[in-house]
Every structure is written in C-alpha cells, then in structure tokens.
Amino acid sequence: LKPRKRPPCFYLHPDDLLVRGLKDGDSAVLESDFGSFTLPVRSQPAMAAGCVLIECSEDFPQLLPGIGLSYCAISAGGSHE
C-alpha cells in the first residue's frame, strides 16, 4: 500500500470555527512557541472543542507528539497558497 498524503491542514470542531469567524477551507494562522503556520482549516465535528489536529504533522516535526507544545492560538487570516 502507498501512504496516503494530503496537503497539510488544521482540523477544528465546527464551534471553534464559528467563534473565530472561519469556515471550512479558510486560511488560519496557528501561533505557538515554535512559530506561526498558515494552513487551511477543515471542520471536523468528531474533534473535541478547543483542540486542533494538524493533518500530515510530519511536515511540522517541531509539533510532533512529545515535543512539548503546550499552547497555541488559531486565528483567521494568512494565505496557504
């Protein structure tokens, strides 16, 4: 089997998108102690509100589990093209 590789994106609960004025496919900026990342957001009702999942996180080794990311903020804006 070939590994499935999709372009990176953020997954957020729909309520989190609504609070931030975002809709599925919009660009968002994740800011953390490790820098800022601009990617499209995707609505994922199965996500817990207040959490973010980064698809294809191997593209961001500084955000892999165990690295110690304790805080991040998501806001509208930026360009992911």
Side-chain angles (χ1 to χ4, degrees):
L1 295 171
K2 291 174 88 173
R4 186 177 70 180
K5 177 87 169 162
R6 290 185 249 179
C9 67
F10 302 130
Y11 286 103
L12 295 161
H13 188 275
D15 292 345
D16 291 326
L17 292 178
L18 185 64
V19 166
R20 289 166 177 80
L22 294 165
K23 63 185 183 305
D24 197 65
D26 283 351
S27 290
V29 179
L30 180 141
E31 296 180 52
S32 75
D33 296 339
F34 299 100
S36 297
F37 307 93
T38 302
L39 294 171
V41 293
R42 301 284 179 240
S43 178
Q44 178 50 266
M47 290 285 301
C51 295
V52 61
L53 173 70
I54 303 171
E55 180 76 35
C56 301
S57 60
E58 70 270 6
D59 291 334
F60 305 98
Q62 64 273 43
L63 299 179
L64 289 174
I67 300 300
L69 179 64
S70 58
Y71 173 80
C72 69
I74 301 269
S75 59
S79 173
H80 61 270
E81 267 96 72

